[in-house]
Amino acid sequence: MKSLVEGIQTGLILCFLIGPIFFTLIQTGVERGFRAGAAVGLGIWVSDTIFVMAFYSGVNYIAQLLAWEGFSLYVGVIGSIILAIFGTWALLTKPAFQNPSDIHFKPSSSYFSLWLKGFLINSINPFTVLFWFGLMSTTILQNNLTSYDIPLFFGGAIGTVVITDIIKILLAKRIRRWMQPKHILLLRRVSGIALIVFGIVLLVRTIIIL
């Protein structure tokens, strides 16, 4: 149970971090409601799970990849471009509804695009890669966790992330009831600017590190 508790604590640390994922979840939850926000969240959770499984299955190979000189450059540049694209899209477009309670979009296409958005934003974030790899190398390898403790630890971490993200989406949906269209438009603009800023910071940090 100690591993489970430590995993939950790790997940709580993640939930309080303010980054592109936070703004994306809140914006989607306010504009499109719980199911759309959950679609974005599902993309994020799938991305996290893939990273954990990949690092656990081939931690030595991943370490060699991270040590490659071009890895940080390619991930940083591609990540900054994707964040800037999503941010620019949010700045140049308007919500597809005039009233917060009047939300219409095609689930068959929009849910997948929302899932893909969450998956990409999380996957191209170098922090995500380094965070899960750091946990894998320090928590598991150095502490010699058993095959029983490892699922408990990461299950607790990802489970906590899922629960806290769902709470964020539910709160965003609640807030929507008291927001006028102009407020939702402002939120979209703030979210877009935040994503662009995160993209610029990522690019600058990538250049400085290299």
Side-chain angles (χ1 to χ4, degrees), residues 119-140:
F119 182 83
L120 288 176
I121 288 180
N122 192 68
S123 298
I124 52 83
N125 188 352
F127 171 79
T128 304
V129 180
L130 296 176
F131 179 83
W132 290 117
F133 179 75
L135 279 181
M136 188 65 63
S137 59
T138 57
T139 304
I140 293 182

Side-chain angles (χ1 to χ4, degrees), residues 15-163:
C15 81
F16 287 111
L17 296 177
I18 305 298
I21 293 173
F22 172 82
F23 284 98
T24 302
L25 282 175
I26 298 301
Q27 176 201 341
T28 307
V30 168
E31 289 189 9
R32 298 194 170 190
F34 176 78
R35 286 181 293 180
V40 174
L42 182 60
I44 296 170
W45 310 328
V46 170
S47 173
D48 282 335
T49 302
I50 290 176
F51 276 123
V52 170
M53 294 178 64
F55 288 146
Y56 178 66
S57 302
V59 64
N60 293 328
Y61 297 103
I62 300 298
Q64 294 176 8
L65 178 62
L66 294 177
W68 174 47
E69 294 181 357
F71 178 81
S72 298
L73 175 62
Y74 284 109
V75 172
V77 172
I78 294 174
S80 62
I81 291 175
I82 292 178
L83 288 176
I85 289 174
F86 281 127
T88 302
W89 176 262
L91 283 178
L92 299 179
T93 58
K94 295 182 179 180
F97 53 90
Q98 299 298 321
N99 188 291
S101 61
D102 181 24
I103 302 175
H104 301 288
F105 61 102
K106 298 178 180 179
S108 59
S109 60
S110 294
Y111 284 144
F112 175 75
S113 63
L114 290 169
W115 177 89
L116 185 61
K117 180 178 181 179
F119 182 83
L120 288 176
I121 288 180
N122 192 68
S123 298
I124 52 83
N125 188 352
F127 171 79
T128 304
V129 180
L130 296 176
F131 179 83
W132 290 117
F133 179 75
L135 279 181
M136 188 65 63
S137 59
T138 57
T139 304
I140 293 182
L141 298 182
Q142 293 183 8
N143 295 336
N144 296 321
L145 295 184
T146 66
S147 57
Y148 172 80
D149 292 324
I150 293 174
L152 288 177
F153 177 84
F154 284 102
I158 295 180
T160 302
V161 170
V162 172
I163 293 173

